[in-house]
Amino acid sequence: MKRPTFAFLCLVQLTAPALAQESFRVELGRDGETIGDMRPVFLKFESRPLPAISPAEVARRYQRLFDSSDEPEVRIDALNRLTNIRDRSGQDVGFSPEEEARVYREVIDSYESILSRGSYSGRLDELLYQMAKAHALTGQAGQSIDRLKQLVGLYPKSDLVPEARFRIAESAFSAGDYAEAESVYLTLIESIEPGPLKTKAGYMLGWSQFKQGPSAWERSAETFLSVLDEFLPTPDSIQNVEPSSVDTIDDTFRVLALMAARKQGPESLLAWLELEGAPKRHWAYLLFDRLADYYAIRGEFEASVRANRAFVRHSPDHPMTPLFMAQIAEVWERAGEPSRVREARADYVAMFGAADRYATLSTSDQQRWQQFSRRLADFYYERGATAFQNGSLESGRAAFSTSAQYYEELAERSESDNALLRLAGDARLQSGEYAAALSDFQQAAYGNKNYEEADDAGWAAVVLVREGVDGSSRTPEFQPDLAQLSEEADRFEEYFAGDHRLPGLTADLASRWLAAGDPERALNYGEKTVKNERASATERYAGWLAIANVRQQGGEYALAERAWNRVLDVSEESTFDGVEADERASIRKQLATAIYRQGEQAATRGDVAIAVDHFKRVGNALPNSDIAIRGRYDAANTLLKASEWSTAINELRLFRQDFPQHRLTEEVSAKLVHAYVASGQPVSAARELMDAAEVVENPWPMKLRAASLFHQAEDTANRNRLYREYLVAHKSANTADQHLEMQTMRYRLIQSGDESVDLQQDLVDQELASQWHSDDTLAWAARASLALGARAAATFAGIELSHPLPASLDQKQRALEIARQRFVDAERLGGEAVRSESLYRRAELYRVLAKDLMASSVPSDLNELETMQYQMLLEEEAFPFEEKAIRLHSENHQRVAARGYDAWIGKSLGVLAKLNPGRYDRSVRWMTWRLEVKDDAG
């Protein structure tokens, strides 16, 4: 196939001259049999210039010095200088490759000796570099790399480090450790200034990433693109590529195209080229061309076309775009696909159909465009006609559409444009593309005043738009609205003012804009209609109807009321065909609405009396109608908003009595509640809510509000009754608000004199189990828990220790545990606020237990000795409980320093004075305590 003549396509075919063999270099193979075997092309190290002296002569003298000296340092220095001369001059001077290998084998021991002694007059970084070179030339690659790594580690600022890093990365690459190679190449690139070495490192970095497989190809692509940016920085650089760089650039294009083909093709190229922050690549077309060629050579023609199209989408204004488009047609010709060839030519025509794009084409390309357009137009017109004859309407419409498009584009560049546009319009009509047909007719009608059939073309445009609005000539692409129809009608009126079809057109537009709800345009066309002497009664009726609606929509309800009366008058004229009963009823409803709106306006202004009068007058215009009932309701509502509570309450009650089944009656109860509350009648409001709650599915929201109103009115009996019913119906809360509400109910019931243990128990249990708390609920529950604990403590204290002692003691300890848990729960709920009381009461439990143990009776069947032993045993049993009591009271005492003194701490001090008088029964009691973090002093 024919391909664009790109400058670089010639360059990449150049054969690089053979490079001189170097003693220390990197040379990697070309492609392998699989993608995993692919290797980068040969990388050449450039030489650095020397001063204008004879490098060969200097090298010969250093070579003689090396051969004649027995001193390791001298020989090493001479060898270093020979290497530097060769590197800088770029000439093959000094030892031959065979001699150099021999020489380095001889001096390896000298290197090691010098390095181990640590004394060297020269640069140690150069010494390490030469050692690495010696190891490399003697086949000891691993040791060579070790020396290079040593050089990098010890002398990171040495000018030899960049090359050392490059060779370390090379070694990793050659060993197949591509991730390591990538890391070292990256480090090298970040550490050096732009130059040949950095470019080569970037190139090898891309290969290192590529060799890691598809998962690393995104990084590889980004790297290779950067390499191309360096090789081809400007558009002119494509024409001036160094011969030594041709293979490398070509190889970079090759691997990028290959990666793209193995991934998502041109989409991958686009993704790589359009990365955020990426520069605009002037050479991108070469990359797409390479990918397209790759596909075409493999017989993947669709993929090749896709690649060409991708470039066109990516760079539609590129100078090479026409050639890429032409190349698509050539690909399909090569594939033997005539239909696709035609499609490609159509794409070519479409792309350059615009005037500015067409102007960018060369003369030959413009001729090709015109040739393609005419051939395509004729082909599709003939195909459409044939399809219609065969009954294939769908395919025929498609063909006519395509034909019309080409004729239209040709008309822009033809002197006989009107004829072509008329032909195009006809084709558009047959294809069902009404928007395009309209445009063609408009241009034919108004583009040339000398066109004899201009009025009919203009009317055809009006009719076409009207049919589009009506839906008979409507498609997804052609959906004109009334604005477009009005525009078309206004244009027709401007050009053809004496046309006999105009009155019917303005009447029709008045009705349409009325239905569409555009007051300004409806009024405009309505006034044109009623002022036109040729307008019929039917047309004037439509005009007045539009005027009435406009006035009403504009809020001019007094004018609207008069206009609606005019509509009714016209409808009764003898020349009018008559109005249906339902239409007349609608007109009267609009009249009633105008009166009703006047009431709304008066209410908005605050004219309560006028508003109420208008609302009641609605019933005169349309008796027993829904709007009349609403007028009654709004009259009451207006009084309500004006805070005329007594009158509003009476009107609302009367409305509910007169219209018990009307939907608005459902709202009366809520408004009555509002009126009662606002007028200071909370009990009446609550009773209204209770009545309303009887007829709803979920009465509790209303009942709870009623309970709140009873609470406000201090009607405790009714409030508490509702509280108890609610708590019976709802065992637990589902939300934080409900939890607070239920706890408040329990607290108020308790406060109002209901000392039910169950209520206190529920208050505590619900707070302990809940995930929601407030300061009030916690405090209430804490106090309830303390009260329960005090009751349990009294029960505990009332249990006597009798024989058999184990049984009664066990009963008493269980009672103690119940009381203790109550106090612990209180502390858990109330925190520091109740801790002093909790500590005191818990300590007293243990003290009472110890006291009761000591006071328990001695069995009567014991002798004197046994009685003493029994009492000693009781003391041993009681002593730990007394100790716990002392420790808990002491803990309460210790709170003085942190929390201050309170009555419960004072009580603990009083008990301590009795239990431990030697320590606590003193006049001075402020002491420093060692706190013990143990619950119940255990």
Side-chain angles (χ1 to χ4, degrees), residues 589-785:
K589 183 176 181 180
Q590 293 297 331
L591 176 62
T593 300
I595 299 171
Y596 177 85
R597 298 302 181 200
Q598 293 178 66
E600 286 184 324
Q601 288 180 332
T604 301
R605 294 193 304 268
D607 297 333
V608 178
I610 295 175
V612 171
D613 179 65
H614 281 308
F615 285 137
K616 291 182 176 180
R617 192 164 62 89
V618 175
N620 298 330
L622 199 62
N624 300 320
S625 63
D626 187 71
I627 194 171
I629 296 173
R630 178 173 285 276
R632 280 277 308 279
Y633 178 82
D634 285 347
N637 210 32
T638 301
L639 293 168
L640 189 67
K641 292 180 179 178
S643 300
E644 298 183 13
W645 307 119
S646 178
T647 309
I649 289 170
N650 291 334
E651 287 292 333
L652 287 169
R653 284 177 172 175
L654 185 60
F655 183 88
R656 183 163 61 183
Q657 176 182 333
D658 293 343
F659 309 105
Q661 302 302 321
H662 196 272
R663 63 183 183 279
L664 290 175
T665 304
E666 298 176 359
E667 303 176 8
V668 169
S669 179
K671 293 184 178 295
L672 282 172
V673 170
H674 171 70
Y676 284 133
V677 171
S679 60
Q681 304 177 62
V683 174
S684 297
R687 289 172 179 168
E688 179 67 30
L689 285 168
M690 293 298 292
D691 292 340
E694 297 299 325
V695 296
V696 297
E697 182 178 355
N698 181 17
W700 279 115
M702 291 183 178
K703 286 186 175 182
L704 288 178
R705 189 180 176 196
S708 177
L709 289 169
F710 283 133
H711 178 76
Q712 178 183 342
E714 299 182 356
D715 187 347
T716 307
N718 281 320
R719 182 202 71 179
N720 288 355
R721 177 177 56 83
L722 288 173
Y723 282 174
R724 292 189 188 95
E725 290 178 4
Y726 186 83
L727 292 173
V728 169
H730 301 81
K731 300 301 181 182
S732 60
N734 296 320
T735 65
D737 291 340
Q738 188 182 20
H739 173 71
L740 176 59
E741 187 174 53
M742 293 175 71
Q743 292 293 78
T744 302
M745 291 179 186
R746 295 184 181 100
Y747 175 72
R748 287 177 177 174
L749 286 170
I750 294 170
Q751 290 296 105
S752 63
D754 190 340
E755 294 292 343
S756 170
V757 175
D758 291 339
L759 269 176
Q760 292 179 328
Q761 183 65 52
D762 286 346
L763 182 64
V764 174
D765 291 346
Q766 291 296 330
E767 194 66 25
L768 288 172
S770 176
Q771 59 180 318
W772 307 291
H773 305 286
S774 71
D775 291 343
D776 286 340
T777 59
L778 289 170
W780 298 338
R783 298 312 306 176
S785 187

Side-chain angles (χ1 to χ4, degrees), residues 551-552 555-562 593-594 597-598 601:
R551 298 302 186 191
Q552 187 147 322
E556 301 172 304
Y557 298 114
L559 295 176
E561 181 181 355
R562 288 193 290 271
T593 300
R597 298 302 181 200
Q598 293 178 66
Q601 288 180 332

